[in-house]
Amino acid sequence: MGSGTTCVEANILRRDAIGNDVNELAVLMSKVKTTPVDRQKFKKLDPLINKIYLRIDDLYFKKHSYLIEKPDILNLDLWFKDFVINELVIIKDEILKLDNDHLKDFCFMALSAIIVNVSNQDSDTRYVRVAKNIKPKDTFDRFAKQLIKMRKIMNNNYENLMNSKTIVKVADTRIDEIFDENSADLAVTSPPYPNAYDYHLYHKYRMFWLDMDPRYLRKREIGAHADYSKKNALTEVDFENDMEKCFNTVSKILNKGKYFILVMGNSILKGRNIENNELLKDLSKKTPFVFIAEFSRNLNLRRKSFNPVIGNIKTEKI
């Protein structure tokens, strides 16, 4: 399911949607994007932002930083400046005081969106420490701006979300019985590419701050670069086996005669170019699916999220 784009587009068309992902953070994002929050509930965000501001202001002017208890997160001081940690602790503490679960999730998604930017991690696709020019109160400012941005998007989509229903859950597509059989008319996904991304690694600190467990994701992630780059690494055969299980699960959830659309690029394994679209077409012969058609699209390379060394993808196959 990723971050929920397909579910959102279904809702815009006023269609119901179901989706799963093994990544807890992805499921939170998808849930927030597809759960309507009305304007009355949003009124609680203004006093929330004000409380956070006053506590952070007090932190700097009255030197109360000794009252901040750091969370027990692995190597926290390596990846975050002290004042950033303090501001994040205050933001999280005030979110937890909200009395509405949907609003809490909404605010936690805003918090997760700024974590990498205020950390010492280079980006969402590079797990290396770099020096960043983060100043006191920058963390608060980014959180407040993210909330305003998300609030505007929710207000624009509210009517669509009210007229459709979405169910999302943390689940591994290789496992049967995630959803009822014959309960969907279309499946759309961009499955994980072998050797192109490490979701558990790049989103580790986002997950830690939201009390999620990246180690759970690490054990279940398909295609992780860490698994395909080590000695005695996994190969395309392992990827094919994983995807065959996914195909069989999806075939049961889909009604007979309906379509499964996959968006795929190539991978590079040990210097070999792997045409994942051809691999999926071959493995589909072992499943209830029948290959129908294929299209290509060019990628905007400036928006591409993969490390070019391990995933030099200029086009994708649909």
Side-chain angles (χ1 to χ4, degrees), residues 206-219:
R206 281 179 166 166
M207 299 184 78
F208 277 142
W209 275 102
L210 269 59
D211 300 320
M212 297 173 180
D213 187 1
R215 289 159 293 202
Y216 170 88
L217 175 59
R218 172 69 186 91
K219 292 174 184 175

Side-chain angles (χ1 to χ4, degrees), residues 172 174 192-193 197 199 220-224 228 239 242-243 246:
D172 188 333
R174 290 168 291 191
Y193 300 8
Y197 208 88
Y199 290 94
R220 291 160 180 82
E221 183 178 342
I222 293 175
Y228 284 83
F239 179 68
D242 281 330
M243 292 306 299
C246 293

Side-chain angles (χ1 to χ4, degrees), residues 116-117 119-128 130 132 202:
V116 172
N117 290 335
S119 75
N120 300 325
Q121 183 178 326
D122 183 54
S123 69
D124 279 329
T125 58
R126 285 195 78 224
Y127 187 69
V128 293
V130 296
K132 291 184 183 177
Y202 299 141

Side-chain angles (χ1 to χ4, degrees), residues 6-19:
T6 298
C7 293
V8 170
E9 292 300 327
N11 292 163
I12 290 171
L13 295 171
R14 303 206 171 184
R15 297 174 182 270
D16 293 340
I18 56 177

Side-chain angles (χ1 to χ4, degrees), residues 79-274:
W79 292 96
F80 295 87
K81 295 180 173 67
D82 278 345
F83 62 83
V84 171
I85 294 171
N86 292 338
E87 290 185 40
L88 288 173
V89 167
I90 290 171
I91 292 169
K92 181 179 178 181
D93 184 52
E94 290 300 327
I95 292 172
L96 287 170
K97 293 176 184 177
L98 290 169
D99 60 5
N100 182 278
D101 288 340
H102 292 328
L103 210 54
K104 275 185 190 175
D105 286 343
F106 190 87
C107 292
F108 277 129
M109 179 174 161
L111 178 61
S112 77
I114 70 164
I115 295 289
V116 172
N117 290 335
V118 299
S119 75
N120 300 325
Q121 183 178 326
D122 183 54
S123 69
D124 279 329
T125 58
R126 285 195 78 224
Y127 187 69
V128 293
R129 281 190 295 145
V130 296
K132 291 184 183 177
N133 187 27
I134 306 292
K135 300 182 179 65
K137 294 191 178 179
D138 279 356
T139 302
F140 165 77
D141 288 340
R142 293 186 190 208
F143 174 72
K145 287 176 183 175
Q146 185 66 23
L147 269 187
I148 292 168
K149 176 184 173 183
M150 287 172 51
R151 185 173 177 172
K152 183 178 179 182
I153 293 170
M154 177 58 70
N155 286 335
N156 290 340
N157 282 342
Y158 182 74
E159 291 301 322
N160 293 324
L161 299 182
M162 285 298 295
N163 287 283
S164 53
K165 182 176 70 174
T166 297
I167 299 171
V168 298
K169 59 178 71 173
V170 179
D172 188 333
T173 311
R174 290 168 291 191
I175 308 298
D176 276 347
E177 300 179 354
I178 301 170
F179 296 105
D180 290 341
E181 291 190 14
N182 305 313
S183 60
D185 289 321
L186 177 69
V188 182
T189 190
S190 179
Y193 300 8
N195 199 37
Y197 208 88
D198 282 317
Y199 290 94
H200 70 279
L201 186 64
Y202 299 141
H203 299 303
K204 178 191 290 188
Y205 284 95
R206 281 179 166 166
M207 299 184 78
F208 277 142
W209 275 102
L210 269 59
D211 300 320
M212 297 173 180
D213 187 1
R215 289 159 293 202
Y216 170 88
L217 175 59
R218 172 69 186 91
K219 292 174 184 175
R220 291 160 180 82
E221 183 178 342
I222 293 175
H225 172 59
D227 289 332
Y228 284 83
S229 59
K230 63 186 179 182
K231 190 177 181 181
N232 301 320
L234 299 183
T235 70
E236 62 269 33
V237 175
D238 298 286
F239 179 68
E240 183 175 351
N241 290 336
D242 281 330
M243 292 306 299
E244 184 179 347
K245 293 172 186 174
C246 293
F247 269 53
N248 284 322
T249 300
V250 174
S251 73
K252 293 174 184 176
I253 297 169
L254 280 175
N255 282 306
K256 291 261 175 73
K258 299 302 181 179
Y259 293 93
F260 187 15
I261 299 175
L262 296 109
V263 182
M264 288 293 292
N266 291 349
S267 294
I268 298 172
L269 299 183
K270 302 291 186 183
R272 297 179 296 113
N273 186 51
I274 306 299

